[in-house]
Amino acid sequence: MTGKRRRSYEAGHRAKFLVVVDDTPECDRAIYFAARRAARTGVTVTLLSIVPPGEYQHWLGVGELMQAEAEEEANSLLDNASARVRDIAGLEPERVVRVGNKSEEIVRHIEEDEDIALLVLAAGTGSEGPGPLVSMMAGKAASSFPIPVAIVPGHLTDEEIDALA
C-alpha cells in the first residue's frame, strides 16, 4: 500500500465504512455492524462486491456472457445488502462492483477512495476457519494496511453487535 493520505475526516469529505459483500451467511453480520456504527457516528457505508475475472475469455462470447452473469449476481447481492443497510440504519449506501482478485481489488478501491476510513469484514464460523481474506488481514497484511479493519464474527447476534457498534 502506498502512503497516500486518508482524507475522510477533512472538511468537505465524509468518512465511509467499506463492507465486502459476498453470498456467505456471515456477511450479514458485517453489514449489520457497519450500518449500526455508521448511523451512530454519522458516516456512510460503501458496499463492495468483487467479481472474479472470467476464466473462459478464450472462448468467443462465452467469457463475456459468464462475466455479465457474474456481474448481475454481484448487483443482486448489492441490492439485498443495500436494502439491509436502509432497514437497519435508514442510510443509502454507495454500491461498487469491481472485477479482479478479491484482496487486490479491495486494496485498489481503498487507494482510489481516500474517504474510506474502516474496512469491515465478516469472519466465517465454519470448520474451515474465518476465511482466506480474514486470515490474510489478521496476518502479515495487518501491519501494513492503511486503515483499521473490523472483523465481525459471524455468530454474533444483533443485540451483541448493537452493544459493540
Side-chain angles (χ1 to χ4, degrees), residues 6-9 12-17 113-117:
R6 307 310 305 163
R7 304 176 82 65
S8 58
Y9 293 101
H13 291 266
R14 187 168 183 199
K16 299 175 184 176
F17 293 165
D113 188 339
E114 56 196 16
D115 291 331
I116 301 291

Side-chain angles (χ1 to χ4, degrees), residues 17 20 35 37-38 47 52 55 60 65 84 101 104 118 160:
F17 293 165
V20 179
R37 186 80 183 134
L47 301 171
E55 298 174 10
L60 186 62
L65 179 62
R84 186 81 168 119
N101 172 279
E104 290 172 7
L118 178 70
E160 290 169 322

Side-chain angles (χ1 to χ4, degrees), residues 4-146:
K4 185 176 180 179
R5 182 176 169 171
R6 307 310 305 163
R7 304 176 82 65
S8 58
Y9 293 101
E10 292 182 6
H13 291 266
R14 187 168 183 199
K16 299 175 184 176
F17 293 165
L18 177 63
V19 181
V20 179
V21 177
D22 59 27
D23 61 356
T24 63
E26 295 86 6
C27 182
D28 180 69
R29 305 294 67 211
I31 293 167
Y32 189 87
F33 174 85
R36 294 294 290 169
R37 186 80 183 134
R40 288 184 177 159
T41 58
V43 304
T44 189
V45 175
T46 297
L47 301 171
L48 173 64
S49 183
I50 301 166
V51 176
E55 298 174 10
Y56 302 99
Q57 297 299 328
H58 57 281
W59 294 349
L60 186 62
V62 173
E64 294 161 356
L65 179 62
M66 293 184 77
Q67 193 70 33
E69 288 175 1
E71 288 180 28
E72 186 176 310
E73 181 179 330
N75 276 304
S76 177
L77 288 172
L78 290 177
D79 289 343
N80 293 336
S82 295
R84 186 81 168 119
V85 170
R86 284 190 296 276
D87 289 346
I88 295 164
L91 301 172
E92 187 60 43
E94 178 180 276
R95 300 163 43 118
V96 178
V97 175
R98 295 183 72 110
V99 177
N101 172 279
K102 186 176 269 191
S103 57
E104 290 172 7
E105 291 307 317
I106 292 168
V107 170
R108 278 192 191 104
H109 188 72
I110 292 168
E111 287 176 344
E112 292 169 8
D113 188 339
E114 56 196 16
D115 291 331
I116 301 291
L118 178 70
L119 173 62
V120 181
L121 300 173
T125 57
S127 60
E128 63 278 352
L133 191 58
V134 170
S135 295
M136 180 195 75
M137 291 296 179
K140 292 180 181 178
S143 65
S144 63
F145 216 67

